[in-house]
Amino acid sequence: MTATSVPSTSETLRELGSALRRWSAGGAGSIGVVRVLGRHGFGTVESGQIVAGTSSGETSGVLYRRVLDDTAVPLASAAAERPEVREAHVAEAGAVEAGLACAGGATLLGHPLPGPLAEALGKALEHASPAALLSTLDGAAALVLTGPALDVVHGSLGTAELDEEGADAARWLLRRGGTVTERVTAGDTELLLDLWVPVPSVLVVGAGAIGEALLAQAALLGWAGRTVTELDEARDAVAAFTDADVVVLLDHSPRFDAMLLAGLEHGHGFLGALGSRRTQAARRERLLAAGVSEEQLATIHGPVGLDLGARTPAETAVSIVAEVIAARAGRAATTLGASQGRIGG
């Protein structure tokens, strides 16, 4: 195996989400998941890595560039029936060959994930929306949280108090904005928490100073971004969007209505369009004539951006990114002084 043989984290999680949904819809019952309970060595590795499997031997997901497959894959299948903890160790040569920094070892927790929880987690991972999986350290109970604010609860850790404290811990970590794997304490109980926070990807459609400023602002936030100017490329990209993806349409040409139609049909991601009130009105009439409903039109953010009084391309980019952040968090984007919600998330 070489270091280039493993797909990206986002691709892996989408594939895992699809598999979880497929297995739960197929009546697989409980599905086994394998998570990292503890580790030493390996150098810097990404959090939130997970493998899942069925009792029939199907598996999906990646742990540490597959160096733990000899332990993780059979554990995933066995864990569909019962919780189990196993140790895995990798020598220097195998770890380095896979693209890790050094040798290491991991304590892996495998535990069942009932069908409804697997369905909920799978949907969130497949569509790149925030999700959290919490369990007791023995894997006897599990809780899945989904939604922009992790406000949709599936399953239970055993008591309402434990569920509430575990969910609060996950939501506090969500406000930090990054994917994590951590042990957290709720009351007298220690929990294993995996939190997935998708990183937005910004697609700028059309050339210009605003687009350049927007990509610079996205990069500052650690978001991926690129520019396209051709309809076919833009339409194909939007048709494959996840909930974490963002398109900002700069080009006012009516031909890009086809891209917006593809995005509306797909139903995922943030669709934003620049333009004057006149441009927005003309686009609206064209889309209505194409059969788009008023409800669908309301999901297009146009003119995109918050009313910050932006005058320069850089300020306009800030206003656009601010609206994206608010939309992802399910917030109304009022001033903090006027808001009654929690400050900082």
Side-chain angles (χ1 to χ4, degrees):
M1 178 182 61
T2 66
T4 59
S5 63
V6 178
S8 70
T9 300
S10 60
E11 291 173 329
T12 298
L13 288 175
R14 289 181 68 178
E15 291 172 1
L16 174 62
S18 177
L20 288 172
R21 297 188 70 189
R22 184 175 69 254
W23 295 335
S24 58
S30 288
I31 293 161
V33 293
V34 178
R35 304 157 65 204
V36 179
L37 195 57
R39 74 170 178 93
H40 60 86
F42 296 132
T44 301
V45 293
E46 292 183 83
S47 298
Q49 300 195 40
I50 182 174
V51 168
T54 66
S55 56
S56 63
E58 292 183 274
T59 60
S60 182
V62 174
L63 282 178
Y64 298 171
R65 305 190 67 84
R66 302 195 189 281
V67 296
L68 305 179
D69 274 7
D70 288 348
T71 302
V73 169
L75 178 57
S77 296
E81 305 296 335
R82 64 188 181 281
E84 186 176 344
V85 174
R86 295 184 187 178
E87 300 291 334
H89 300 277
V90 181
E92 187 85 6
V96 172
E97 182 183 3
L100 299 171
C102 59
T107 302
L108 303 181
L109 169 65
H111 65 86
L113 195 64
L117 275 69
E119 163 67 20
L121 180 60
K123 183 177 180 180
L125 294 179
E126 185 177 15
H127 296 307
S129 62
L133 171 59
L134 298 98
S135 72
T136 52
L137 296 190
D138 60 3
L143 184 75
V144 169
L145 307 171
T146 59
L150 299 181
D151 53 348
V152 184
V153 179
H154 315 264
S156 177
L157 294 168
T159 68
E161 293 77 13
L162 196 55
D163 292 346
E164 183 176 358
E165 291 192 38
D168 284 346
R171 291 164 187 153
W172 183 84
L173 288 169
L174 176 66
R175 293 194 293 276
R176 286 169 37 183
T179 293
V180 298
T181 297
E182 287 192 12
R183 291 194 190 190
V184 298
T185 300
D188 297 328
T189 303
E190 193 172 10
L191 305 172
L192 178 61
L193 165 64
D194 280 300
L195 168 67
W196 294 276
V197 182
V199 177
S201 176
V202 178
L203 179 72
V204 176
V205 180
I210 290 177
E212 293 172 0
L214 182 57
L215 292 183
Q217 181 66 40
L220 183 64
L221 295 171
W223 300 358
R226 63 190 177 104
T227 298
V228 299
T229 56
E230 298 301 321
L231 172 59
D232 288 345
E233 188 176 5
R235 182 172 52 198
D236 291 345
V238 170
F241 262 16
T242 69
D243 288 344
D245 294 320
V246 176
V247 64
V248 177
L249 176 59
L250 305 182
D251 196 312
H252 299 342
S253 171
R255 66 193 178 103
F256 283 103
D257 291 354
M259 181 201 72
L260 294 175
L261 290 170
L264 291 172
E265 181 179 0
H266 184 54
H268 296 286
F270 179 103
L271 303 180
L274 251 65
S276 65
R277 303 292 181 188
R278 181 177 179 180
T279 297
Q280 300 293 334
R283 181 184 293 121
R284 170 188 172 83
E285 292 305 315
R286 294 195 305 269
L287 291 175
L288 285 172
V292 173
S293 68
E294 292 282 358
E295 184 178 4
Q296 288 177 305
L297 275 175
T299 66
I300 298 176
H301 301 260
V304 66
L306 299 184
D307 185 7
L308 306 180
R311 293 180 175 85
T312 68
E315 290 175 348
T316 300
V318 170
S319 78
I320 293 170
V321 167
E323 184 178 9
V324 172
I325 292 172
R328 281 169 54 83
R331 292 297 185 93
T334 57
T335 64
L336 287 177
S339 171
Q340 299 301 312
R342 184 194 298 266
I343 295 176

